[in-house]
Amino acid sequence: MFSDSQFTQIGSVLLQESDDISDSPSRISENDELLYKTSTFRKTQNILSSFICSAFILLLVIVALLLFNAFFQIKKNECSDNSSESSSDSAEDLNFISKKLADELNADNIRNNLEILAKNTHIAGTREQSQLMHYLAEKYTSYGFSVKIYNYTVLLNYPQISVPNLVELKKYNDEWMTISFGRGTPLGPQQAIDEQQDIRSQQWWNAYSANGSVTGQIVYCNYGTKDDYDVLAQMGVTVRGKIALIRYGALKRNEKVRIAQNMGMTGVLFFSDPVHYTSNNRSNVFPESIYLPGDDAQRGSVLATLGDPLTPLLPSLIYTQRQETEKSARAKSLMPNIPVTPISYNDANKIMELLDGDVVPSFEWKGGLRSVYRLTGEKEFRMTVHSRFVHRTISNVIATLPGATEPDNWIMVGNHVDAWGNGAIDPISGTATQLEIARVMSSVFSKNPTKRSLVFCHWDAEEYGLIGSTEWIEEMQHILHRRAIAYINVDHIAGNLVPDVKSVPLLYRAIVGAAKKTKQQNLLERSMGRTRLFDSWRYHRGKGPILGDRGVPEIGLPSSGSDYYRFISFLGIPSADLKIEKSPGMSYPLYHSMYETPWTVKTLMDPGFTSFLTLGQFWMELIHRLANSPIIPFDVIDYSTVVSGLVQKVESHLNHLNLTQTVSTLNDQFFMLKEALKRFNHITREFHSKITDIQTGSKDADFKLISIINNRLIEIERCFIDWTLGAELNRHVIFSQSRNYHHLAFLASIQDNAKNVHLYGKSEDIKLLGLAISKLQLSIESAIKVLTI
């Protein structure tokens, strides 16, 4: 670069040199031009110099900013990695979100949802049901969810509307007199009656029953259990070739039908006994109260499998080869081979009055009918079932709010939508609440998403046999195996007093924590000082699943009553089903009746919709904690404790059967199993201690360590899936239903084979019993390895 003085000197030298050359006018002119060029050159250099300096300074500023940002990110990551995410600040954040979620939940919105969703009859496979599913998809889209509809073509069954199911009595002149007309009667004020006018919801039927007419004497079989038939045999009552009159309770419908069919009975009539479905004052029934009147009957499916019966273990998609036909499914007892239909308890009373045989043997066989309970009679009856089997499209709606940091970890929320009629209680009470939860969570988490993704599921054809959820699980099983963290289900809301919870042990503490943060809306409970839902739960159902631990009130084992069951039994995804009941153990008496309409909910069940708010907050709080807690709130100690207790019960049962004399290796197997359980209990306590240290801040945890902990927590339930049972619907070695004994809801493979050994003593059964125990120990050993860091 040149200074100003240097530029002047250069100009003078140039001028002098020019003068020395010539003094002519032409030369002087050239000198002036040269001076002009020199001056211009200097100005250009000045501008260029300034530009270069400015660019250099700007470059330095940019580099400095980049370095500062990089330094800031490094420090931020260091802080994130080196500090415990479950510190007091994190706990305060979670509590703040809990309050915000609860405050935004709105009863009027739930009421409006229910009125829209339960306006019409919407049986699976009908136009009304399809319209509802698309309505839900549109609502979730408007809330900002990513929505997908999954369609399946499945075998469904409907009544013949023009020809209802009948029960008739043969008169002395060989004519037939109708005892049951196969339809319910609309009751109540005009608004209630208007909501009951759809003839499809009035029809009495059991889906998948065989068609046809059968004649014969009727035998009252109590609840239709195997023990009940043993009593009948002891009383000298012949059941083969007879029609069974069975009251609901004790067993699932399909199990009652299977047993009756195996006993040689030709048909089954179901009724809801007033002792279970009415109050002490049997006249205080609908429309004056929520108790079942004698003018309607409980509908339901008698399918003996889960999912589409024509595509077992495969999704019913267009490309799927149908493995079964209606005929082959009946041959395999997936559907009944005999006609089945429900009747009202008024009609059951008429039949009982016509029986003239022996009085029932004990008080346990009596109920609330006004007539004398008798076992059978000489009169001949005829029952007729008319139905049609069709292939229909069903739809599931799956709506997702992606998580911010763990989008491939899914917290799943679900309920079915289909009903036997309007379904205002089952399932729309749950569906209406779930839709409001989706609105609230999309609003609260619109700017700051949850850590993990929220996946809201609405299932179709649940009432027929968990068909919608089963088909989806079969289609998505490989993705769910890697992404699903937990599934939380609410089938319906039946009251406003006490929770009815079924769950795997991993979720016990998370559920209890949510109940403690849920406000009890029942004013009577609040006046008694039970201001939290947890307080009512512990007071009314204090005997929990863990001996000596009042911190966990009563929680039932998973069962096949709703969609959550397939997640746990087939894939080992921790699952729970939440309800709130009017009183402990009491479901609602209008279950699966034509009176489940909006009028019933708004007038009789919950005019203020406070039970919906309670359950909604309970449900939403649990979802929030599962989705946002840095460490997934699974408790491994509860798992090992519960499993140990269940094994102890089974061992006692096998000792009672005196199987050690038959099975020489049994003592050794149980010794090794209990030793494994001791190690499992020890490692779960060590693992839990590490988690506690992080949560209390006594130990730092970076993102990597927390990820390891979470991954291992997720793997625990998967350890108890028997992957050798690829062709089985129930693969969980602990939480699967017995094939033959309704009261066996845990370790069924061990108990079923033990029972067979006790009854028959076959070498094959002995091998299967030993194999079942070996598989359980393998699962426990696998869980120990998973938790070992």
Side-chain angles (χ1 to χ4, degrees), residues 275-404:
V275 74
H276 302 307
Y277 291 85
T278 64
S279 64
N280 293 330
N281 177 11
R282 284 177 291 184
S283 62
N284 182 31
V285 295
F286 185 89
E288 280 72 37
S289 75
I290 62 168
Y291 290 103
L292 180 70
D295 302 273
D296 198 25
Q298 179 192 131
R299 296 138 187 84
S301 174
V302 289
L303 185 67
T305 186
L306 300 176
D308 179 17
L310 305 188
T311 60
L313 297 170
L314 292 173
S316 297
L317 298 166
I318 191 170
Y319 61 77
T320 304
Q321 174 69 40
R322 268 51 183 171
Q323 301 155 262
E324 305 288 351
T325 63
E326 182 188 337
K327 183 178 180 180
S328 68
R330 291 199 191 283
K332 295 179 179 179
S333 296
L334 301 179
M335 296 186 289
N337 289 297
I338 59 176
V340 184
T341 192
I343 60 175
S344 69
Y345 64 73
N346 280 351
D347 292 345
N349 195 78
K350 294 176 190 176
I351 292 172
M352 195 67 77
E353 287 178 338
L354 292 167
L355 302 184
D356 53 10
D358 292 337
V359 175
V360 295
S362 64
F363 175 79
E364 287 76 17
W365 283 59
K366 295 179 181 179
L369 298 178
R370 297 186 183 278
S371 60
V372 175
Y373 278 71
R374 298 182 183 275
L375 296 178
T376 188
E378 296 295 323
K379 292 182 172 56
E380 187 173 4
F381 294 84
R382 179 171 69 184
M383 67 171 293
T384 304
V385 171
H386 301 280
S387 69
R388 55 197 176 96
F389 287 82
V390 295
H391 291 89
R392 290 279 178 86
T393 298
I394 63 171
S395 303
N396 297 326
V397 175
I398 310 297
T400 304
L401 274 182

Side-chain angles (χ1 to χ4, degrees), residues 110 113-114 117 140 413-417 423-437 458 489-494 578 605 612 615-616 619:
I110 300 175
N113 290 341
L114 183 136
L117 296 171
Y140 276 94
V413 188
N415 183 30
H416 70 100
V417 181
I425 303 171
D426 180 11
I428 299 304
S429 60
T431 310
T433 305
Q434 182 177 340
L435 190 57
E436 171 62 1
I437 288 173
H458 290 279
N489 190 80
V490 169
D491 191 272
H492 62 269
I493 301 166
L578 312 180
M605 184 178 145
F612 293 74
L615 191 281
W619 196 3

Side-chain angles (χ1 to χ4, degrees), residues 12 146 154 242 266 283 351 414 550 591 607 639 648 674 718:
S12 302
S146 173
V154 301
K242 308 292 179 65
T266 58
S283 62
I351 292 172
R550 293 197 72 237
Y591 178 69
Y639 206 106
Q648 185 177 357
K674 289 185 288 186
R718 269 65 153 184

Side-chain angles (χ1 to χ4, degrees), residues 121 181-204 285-288 292-297 299 344 346 422 590 593-597 599-600:
T121 294
F181 290 89
R183 282 182 184 154
T185 304
L187 297 173
Q190 192 60 49
Q191 181 183 351
I193 290 175
D194 289 344
E195 293 176 347
Q196 302 162 24
Q197 286 304 311
D198 194 314
I199 197 169
R200 294 172 298 178
S201 68
Q202 298 174 11
Q203 211 83 5
W204 297 345
V285 295
F286 185 89
E288 280 72 37
L292 180 70
D295 302 273
D296 198 25
R299 296 138 187 84
S344 69
N346 280 351
N422 296 64
L590 297 177
S593 74
M594 63 184 289
Y595 307 123
E596 284 192 53
T597 69
W599 180 87
T600 301

Side-chain angles (χ1 to χ4, degrees), residues 600-612:
T600 301
V601 175
K602 294 186 295 182
T603 307
L604 300 177
M605 184 178 145
D606 188 4
F609 276 65
T610 54
S611 61
F612 293 74

